[in-house]
Amino acid sequence: MASLLKASSNVLRSEKLPFLSRSKTRQGVVPKKITFRLVPIALSLSTSIGTVEHDLRSNSPDIAIPIMVNGCTGKMGKSVIQAADSAGLYVVPVSFDAEKKSGQTVEACGKKILVHGPSDRESILASVFQEYPNLIVVDYTMPATINDNAELYGKVGVPFVMGTTGGDRDQLYKTVEESKVYAVISPQMGKQVVAFLAAMEIMAEQFPGAFSGYSLQVMESHQAGKLDTSGTAKAIISCFQKLGVSFDMDQIQMLRDPKQQIEMVGVPEEHLSGHAFHLYHLTSPDQTVSFEFQHNVCGRPIYAEGTVDAILFLAKKVKSKADKRIYNMIDVLREGNMR
């Protein structure tokens, strides 16, 4: 189970959480160890599709869909390639990434993928799209590049799934809307975490102001390489704001130091390079009631599996020429055809 939701009413716990004290810096030292209740996540990359011969122009929406994974030099990109290959999708042997990675060859699932730099990405993408007209691009690049990437995908006319976080999100959606290209855009690809977020949005819509007067403390821990604040945390906080909680996004406590992650929140050492721990703590005005919401993820398979579901979902929308063009992972969940 990838997401743990715990709501508790506790009249005995009236003190503020020391590790979330606003007097500390976002990277501050925590005075005592806080143990996350970690739920092991076991995900299978097996598929009922089995081994298939790749017919690149197959009419099947589920088998041999060609995908181009941009950002394949990163751990998330490689995880997506593994999940896609297991699901019977065809990973084209071409990708693009930062200039410093141009010319590299990535080996994954028995494939050799040639990485191109930004200078020739438009001609490369157009050529690949011409060869594989049912191509879907998967983007796990960098926050600084997503707006330019989306503009390119729209210019070429290729559908895409974007799991990259950050960037100018308003401009991102405007670009995609104007290009009329099909896309699934979500900063959170973990299906179970998305379901939790959807439940929070329903609660916020149906019970606005239910937590008026409550104080909120938020901590998120990710691998050191994640430079931006968790998009999932921001989405959950927006729900709490609708529920009546006053909270500024700059109050989020970011934890990126590996030593603190092990000692303070109990991140397993083998998952320091890939994890997502979130904790939201609500306290009543008189400090006699508290609620805690927590979801912890170790590793990347949960996001890779969700990405594959998004690919299959988007391929069906393209094939059916659906009127709606821009989707998110909640749309994928509502479709009800996940593996």
Side-chain angles (χ1 to χ4, degrees):
M1 184 176 181
S3 173
L4 174 64
L5 168 61
K6 183 173 79 68
S8 61
S9 180
N10 186 350
V11 298
L12 297 178
R13 187 177 183 178
S14 59
E15 63 175 348
K16 294 288 186 181
L17 290 178
F19 67 96
L20 292 174
S21 170
R22 294 178 187 175
S23 65
K24 303 294 181 183
T25 65
R26 296 173 71 177
Q27 300 283 348
V29 176
V30 177
K32 66 178 183 180
K33 180 174 180 178
I34 302 299
T35 302
F36 277 83
R37 291 163 292 281
L38 177 64
V39 178
I41 298 173
L43 291 175
S44 171
L45 297 182
S46 62
T47 173
S48 59
I49 294 176
T51 303
V52 298
E53 292 294 323
H54 293 299
D55 175 7
L56 300 182
R57 291 165 178 76
S58 169
N59 291 324
S60 169
D62 294 338
I63 299 177
I65 298 169
I67 67 170
M68 178 180 182
V69 181
N70 290 329
C72 71
T73 58
K75 293 179 180 179
M76 190 63 235
K78 291 176 182 176
S79 186
V80 168
I81 291 173
Q82 181 180 6
D85 184 73
S86 296
L89 307 184
Y90 176 73
V91 181
V92 301
V94 178
S95 175
F96 62 72
D97 212 316
E99 186 64 45
K100 64 181 180 180
K101 298 178 181 179
S102 178
Q104 292 186 15
T105 299
V106 174
E107 295 189 17
C109 299
K111 299 177 174 61
K112 293 184 177 181
I113 302 172
L114 180 61
V115 179
H116 295 266
S119 59
D120 57 352
R121 61 181 190 159
E122 182 175 344
S123 59
I124 292 296
L125 180 60
S127 176
V128 173
F129 192 36
Q130 183 177 9
E131 185 174 356
Y132 308 121
N134 55 337
L135 177 75
I136 291 180
V137 169
V138 177
D139 190 295
Y140 277 104
T141 53
M142 297 294 290
T145 66
I146 66 169
N147 292 104
D148 288 342
N149 290 350
E151 186 174 346
L152 173 62
Y153 303 150
K155 183 178 181 179
V156 176
V158 60
F160 68 92
V161 173
M162 180 170 283
T164 313
T165 60
D168 186 333
R169 308 305 283 192
D170 292 336
Q171 183 60 44
L172 171 62
Y173 284 99
K174 181 180 179 182
T175 298
V176 179
E177 185 176 358
E178 291 177 350
S179 71
K180 300 187 184 303
V181 72
Y182 287 94
V184 173
I185 303 172
S186 178
Q188 173 57 255
M189 287 290 179
K191 295 174 287 187
Q192 293 80 7
V193 180
V194 172
F196 167 52
L197 174 57
M200 289 295 301
E201 291 181 345
I202 292 171
M203 182 167 67
E205 180 182 348
Q206 296 189 3
F207 308 109
F211 285 90
S212 294
Y214 274 66
S215 61
L216 175 64
Q217 296 166 300
V218 179
M219 189 193 71
E220 57 96 341
S221 173
H222 288 77
Q223 60 275 7
K226 181 173 174 57
L227 304 178
D228 58 323
T229 306
S230 167
T232 303
K234 290 181 178 179
I236 295 294
I237 290 168
S238 69
C239 294
F240 283 126
Q241 290 172 333
K242 294 174 184 177
L243 287 163
V245 177
S246 178
F247 188 89
D248 294 325
M249 294 297 179
D250 60 6
Q251 294 175 282
I252 299 173
Q253 301 269 321
M254 292 173 60
L255 195 61
R256 297 293 184 270
D257 181 77
K259 184 178 179 181
Q260 292 180 345
Q261 290 170 339
I262 293 174
E263 296 179 351
M264 294 166 14
V265 299
V267 178
E269 187 171 357
E270 64 270 25
H271 291 297
L272 287 173
S273 62
H275 71 278
F277 281 26
H278 298 76
L279 179 65
Y280 315 88
H281 187 86
L282 290 157
T283 306
S284 64
D286 62 1
Q287 299 187 8
T288 61
V289 180
S290 67
F291 290 81
E292 211 169 80
F293 299 80
Q294 180 178 328
H295 52 94
N296 304 334
V297 174
C298 288
R300 295 177 176 83
I302 183 176
Y303 309 120
E305 287 290 313
T307 300
V308 170
D309 282 322
I311 294 168
L312 300 179
F313 167 90
L314 192 61
K316 293 176 183 177
K317 296 303 177 184
V318 173
K319 183 180 179 181
S320 67
K321 299 180 180 179
D323 293 332
K324 183 177 178 179
R325 298 299 177 102
I326 306 176
Y327 301 90
N328 57 33
M329 281 302 290
I330 293 179
D331 295 315
V332 178
L333 286 172
R334 285 174 176 158
E335 191 82 356
N337 293 323
M338 294 174 295
R339 297 160 303 122

